[in-house]
Amino acid sequence: MYFLIHQKVRADKDSGNKAYQQLQIRTQQLTIGRASDQHVQIDEPLVELCHATISLSHDGQLYAKSLTSGDIEINGESHRSKQLTPGDSIHIGSTIITIEQPRADHPVVVTIDHSVGANRYSLESLHYTTLRQTRLSKSFWSWMLAVSVMLLFFIIPVSGLFSPSVKQLLRENVLLPDDSLWLTGPLHRSHQIIGKDCNACHTTPFKMVQNQECIDCHSDIQHHVDIASHDAEHFHENRCADCHREHNEPSILVQPDQRFCVDCHQNLEKLKNDTELADVSDFDSDHPEFSLTLLKPFIEETKNRWEAVRIERNSLATIREESYLHFSHKQHLNPKGIRSPDGDKFLECKYCHRPNTSGRQMLPIKMEKHCAKCHRLDLDKDNLSKQVPHGDLNTLFDTLKEYFSHQYLGQDALRSSQITKDQLRRPNVKNKTLSIEDRKQAMDWAEKQSLIVAQDLIEKRVCIDCHHISIIPGKKEFEKWYVKPVALNKKWMPLANFNHAKHTGVSCATCHKNAKESKKSSDILIPKIETCRECHGGNKDKYKLPTDCLMCHKFHLPNRGLLDKAQQTVAKKSLASKNLSKPMNNKE
């Protein structure tokens, strides 16, 4: 099938007659668009590459169809597809395609006119005015703009520096610019002691504050990695001000952005192949289980030595605390109460676990302060006014000997049922000294009674309730007993910080879930990470408390070496000398 296309070439200005170029195309459908392979090309940016088609159906009807997401305009109306008849016109961009009467040899004849767009653009161009037509110079307005900016934002504010009255006037007038345009924000409250002495930090004009200015005041700040080790080579030294930004509002001296931490800790093997630390990138989705540090006892004869040992994460389910203490949380937190010398008491966690003045950490448990009201150290069940000291067997024995020596000599107002009047010995008024035989008799009796009472205290009713008691082979009398010293763990996670004051809104059992059912002091009651994740989410969590690295961890760690470069140089030289003096073996 042939399409006969009449395309306008030019128009006579005087007569208005149009000249057309005739083009014959053999195709089943006529394509219209901006692409170069289209039969009717309309080079306009608003026209799609393949915009529309005109095709003849099997029944001899002519149809126009849009190939875009929008419609095409046919006879002033929008259509997706429409049957065409002679006289219909299609508007696409600035081009008009008119359907003419068919001929015998050409069933489809169309006329294409591009002149509408040219006329329209020429009319619009009449409204344009160039700067040249106004006879104004570009350089003149450029200089005027530059002078205005200098006057408004520099000269006027600077005038206030030479006259306090002008400065005050400018600051009070909201329409005039003042020196606040270039003044930095306020100092953080930690640095307000500097006052208005900018030179304290900004020692060199037009140069950023360097680390040395920070170290001059913060001379004891430690590094993040051990500067005396090879790990320091992988650590990129940054400016202090990269993290501690001043003159910003709101004033946050420590930036809570964990990206700087994650840059290294999300793939530590790139920095150190033999690292014991696990990779971490987010608290909620990529953080290892908590590692704990426990006190491990090392027994040397009758002496104990304690060392802090970090427990591997995969061993948390089987570890036990070896404190050498008998204690049951379940018994002390019994909802029915427990017996005490003053009657039944209903205990809660806060009766023993009390925070320090800051509220961040718990004070250590002391027997005299937390336990003595219920666990009395009565010397004699029939004499409740006398108690033995806690914590030292030698002092306990001395107390017992002194007590019974006084009873034997009758110099104490207390009278034991074990001593009769005939056994009392009072020195003669004339002769105030005892004979050697009397002294020996008094000492033998006091030691005998002390040994009986000590055995009762240690093995039956007082010490045995809380402590591990052992008998030393080959020892006799007072020297045969050995009470294993108690060492309670004070810092379970020394590499992390936890603030109890910020968790006062929840009960202790919310985090320490198994405390009320624990029967042994060896049970580990420190929460796992899944418990913390019930409230704490990732750094960008929208439904939980966003938790970044600095919420629990510090950047400047102890015993890493000072940030001072001079100290780093000394430490690195020391490490180098050790490596040089180290003998080499075959493996090296």
Side-chain angles (χ1 to χ4, degrees), residues 140-157 177 181:
F140 171 78
W141 289 106
S142 300
W143 279 108
M144 287 296 295
L145 179 61
V147 171
S148 301
V149 172
M150 288 288 292
L151 177 65
L152 188 62
F153 297 105
F154 184 74
I155 298 177
I156 293 179
L181 292 174

Side-chain angles (χ1 to χ4, degrees), residues 107-121:
V108 181
V109 179
V110 297
T111 300
I112 301 175
D113 189 353
H114 297 284
S115 60
V116 176
N119 294 335
R120 185 184 64 183
Y121 294 141

Side-chain angles (χ1 to χ4, degrees), residues 36-62:
S36 59
D37 61 347
Q38 301 295 294
H39 297 133
V40 180
Q41 185 180 12
I42 303 175
D43 189 13
E44 295 183 25
L46 297 180
V47 178
E48 298 289 344
L49 295 175
C50 298
H51 199 93
T53 61
I54 299 175
S55 58
L56 190 66
S57 63
H58 297 290
D59 56 358
Q61 301 297 326
L62 192 63

Side-chain angles (χ1 to χ4, degrees), residues 5 23 25-27 29-32 37-41:
I5 299 175
L23 180 65
I25 299 177
R26 185 175 182 178
T27 181
Q29 66 177 9
L30 190 69
T31 58
I32 306 169
D37 61 347
Q38 301 295 294
H39 297 133
V40 180
Q41 185 180 12

Side-chain angles (χ1 to χ4, degrees), residues 13 25 34 38 47 108 114 192-193 200 226 294 330 338 365 377 381 384 402 423 451 475 486 490 549:
K13 296 182 180 180
I25 299 177
R34 182 163 48 89
Q38 301 295 294
V47 178
V108 181
H114 297 284
Q192 288 181 357
I193 189 175
D226 188 358
L294 274 71
K330 183 176 182 179
I338 58 174
I365 302 296
L377 304 181
K381 291 183 292 186
L384 301 181
E402 180 183 2
Q423 292 175 311
L451 192 61
K475 300 291 184 178
V486 173
K490 298 179 182 178
C549 302

